[in-house]
Amino acid sequence: MNLLAYLIYLLFTWVITVHAGHSFYKNGRNYLLNMLDGNEKITDIVNRLLLTGYYMINLGYVTMMISYWNTITSIQELVDSVCFKTGKIMVLLACMHYFNLGVIYIYHQYHLVQNKFNH
């Protein structure tokens, strides 16, 4: 049963990871471009770094979660385990996403204040 749970979990997390990562990368560029004062070069670098970090954290977390999985003996345990572990990574990734947005926003606000004092 564990092998089936692993396969379902890996499929779900792969689909979620790829879809969300692509969406953040594509749609987040405009946010980053605005927050980084239209600097396209820095925006693209930061966007790629965020995507790379996102994939690395997600893949590492998924791999670690499989190694901590208890033995599954029923369909109910399989569904419970897959749902709990999938939900857990989704919440973690959402928190990371909003944390990153907040850090970039704070950087932008700091940069605006610095520009006011320098002019």
Side-chain angles (χ1 to χ4, degrees), residues 34-45:
N34 184 45
M35 292 295 121
L36 299 173
D37 299 323
N39 187 330
E40 289 192 28
K41 184 176 180 180
I42 296 296
T43 294
D44 291 338
I45 289 169

Side-chain angles (χ1 to χ4, degrees), residues 51-109:
L51 182 64
T52 300
Y54 166 80
Y55 283 139
M56 289 174 64
I57 288 173
N58 198 9
L59 292 172
Y61 185 83
V62 166
T63 303
M64 288 185 334
M65 286 300 96
I66 286 177
S67 68
Y68 290 111
W69 218 309
N70 294 328
T71 301
I72 297 172
T73 58
S74 70
I75 296 295
Q76 180 66 40
E77 287 177 355
L78 184 143
V79 171
D80 289 346
S81 293
V82 169
C83 288
F84 179 76
K85 291 187 185 306
T86 303
K88 194 172 173 182
I89 191 141
M90 290 171 68
V91 169
L92 172 70
L93 293 174
C95 290
M96 282 178 31
H97 174 67
Y98 286 110
F99 175 79
N100 288 337
L101 289 176
V103 168
I104 292 165
Y105 177 77
I106 290 167
Y107 167 81
H108 176 69
Q109 293 302 311

